[in-house]
Amino acid sequence: QVHVVESGGGSVEAGGSLTLSCTVSGITDNTFYMGWFRQAPGKERGGIATIAANGQTTYQNAVRGRFTVSQNSARTTLYLEMNKLKPEDTAMYYCAVSKVGSDLLRPPLLPKSYNYWGQGTQVTVSS
């Protein structure tokens, strides 16, 4: 059984930083993608940063240069370092994992490409 659990959310002032963590267990195929997604009230859930087994990453334009996604060597923990936070970054942040992946393709940002989801962690940025 696959388990995905996020942690590290909270409240911060604009310009501040937060780091989210996500622990993953139960996946047997090591080609899987991992990624961070977010959903603000009234908006659809969208991908912001994803990573493949070989470390290749994909970022949403709105976070590129401010957020950094990384994984540990065992691929059991996913991180999202968030800097220069803005009020528009306020959302529920989700970690997700796909069943399989490929080093030949950039890891996708589409939520439908991911099969296992955590419960989410709230990030609130005040102005």
Side-chain angles (χ1 to χ4, degrees):
Q1 190 172 3
V2 178
H3 293 280
V4 180
V5 180
E6 306 97 337
S7 63
S11 298
V12 64
E13 291 185 353
S17 300
L18 276 176
T19 297
L20 306 182
S21 299
C22 171
T23 58
V24 178
S25 61
I27 296 185
T28 56
D29 187 321
N30 198 43
T31 67
F32 58 88
Y33 300 127
M34 293 194 286
W36 290 98
F37 301 76
R38 67 185 180 186
Q39 186 170 19
K43 295 188 177 181
E44 293 187 356
R45 188 177 303 185
I48 54 172
T50 56
I51 190 166
N54 63 358
Q56 184 170 219
T57 56
T58 305
Y59 290 95
Q60 185 198 48
N61 288 339
V63 307
R64 186 178 292 113
R66 299 188 298 123
F67 291 10
T68 302
V69 62
S70 61
Q71 60 192 351
N72 67 343
S73 58
R75 306 198 76 206
T76 56
T77 306
L78 182 71
Y79 303 97
L80 184 68
E81 180 181 352
M82 305 184 291
N83 297 310
K84 300 179 181 179
L85 283 161
K86 305 175 182 180
E88 51 263 43
D89 294 318
T90 295
M92 186 69 79
Y93 283 69
Y94 297 91
C95 174
V97 183
S98 67
K99 285 183 179 179
V100 293
S102 171
D103 287 347
L104 300 178
L105 302 172
R106 298 195 69 85
L109 290 174
L110 287 175
K112 67 179 182 180
S113 299
Y114 294 79
N115 306 97
Y116 307 105
W117 292 82
Q119 293 300 306
T121 186
Q122 178 69 36
V123 173
T124 302
V125 184
S126 59
S127 58

